[in-house]
C-alpha cells in the first residue's frame, strides 16, 4: 500500500518484486479469521486471513453480514498474499 523509491546508477542492477492482483468471490468467513474464496476455475481458496486494515475489515464483515455478494482483490508478491480491496456486486 505504499510506494518506494530507489536511486542507483544505470550500470547497477536492481531487484523489483513482481506483484499480481487477483479477484475472488467471497464465500465464507470462519470464526478463526480465515476466508473461503471462489477461484475462476470453481475451486475454493481457504488459506487467506482477513485483512488487518480496520476500515477494510469492517466493510467485509458488514457486507457479508448483510448477505451481499462480495469480490475481494488479493495482491500477491514474494510468496505472500493479502486482501487489499473489496467490491460489492450486489445482494445474493
Amino acid at each position: 500500500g505504499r510506494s518506494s523509491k530507489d536511486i542507483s546508477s544505470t550500470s547497477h542492477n536492481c531487484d523489483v518484486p513482481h506483484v499480481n492482483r487477483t479477484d475472488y468471490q467471497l464465500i465464507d468467513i470462519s470464526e478463526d479469521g480465515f476466508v473461503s474464496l471462489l477461484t475462476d476455475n470453481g475451486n475454493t481458496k481457504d488459506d487467506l486471513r482477513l485483512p488487518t486494515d480496520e476500515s477494510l475489515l469492517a466493510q467485509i464483515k458488514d457486507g457479508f453480514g448483510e448477505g451481499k455478494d462480495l469480490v475481494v482483490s488479493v495482491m500477491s508478491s514474494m510468496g505472500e498474499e493479502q486482501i487489499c480491496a473489496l467490491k460489492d456486486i450486489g445482494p445474493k
Side-chain angles (χ1 to χ4, degrees):
R2 59 180 189 236
S3 297
S4 298
K5 293 182 182 182
D6 185 21
I7 299 173
S8 61
S9 71
T10 57
S11 63
H12 291 106
N13 292 333
C14 67
D15 294 327
V16 178
H18 184 68
V19 179
N20 289 323
R21 183 178 184 139
T22 311
D23 291 338
Y24 299 103
Q25 185 171 355
L26 179 65
I27 298 173
D28 192 21
I29 299 174
S30 67
E31 291 183 19
D32 59 354
F34 283 90
V35 293
S36 182
L37 306 173
L38 182 65
T39 63
D40 289 336
N41 59 7
N43 294 329
T44 59
K45 180 173 180 61
D46 300 311
D47 60 347
L48 282 176
R49 286 190 172 275
L50 286 166
T52 56
D53 177 32
E54 294 296 326
S55 173
L56 183 58
L57 178 63
Q59 289 175 4
I60 291 172
K61 284 187 173 181
D62 292 345
F64 186 76
E66 293 172 7
K68 295 181 180 177
D69 275 338
L70 302 174
V71 173
V72 295
S73 295
V74 176
M75 300 210 51
S76 61
S77 178
M78 299 168 45
E80 294 187 26
E81 294 180 310
Q82 183 176 358
I83 296 173
C84 63
L86 174 71
K87 293 180 213 168
D88 179 2
I89 57 173
K92 286 188 177 179

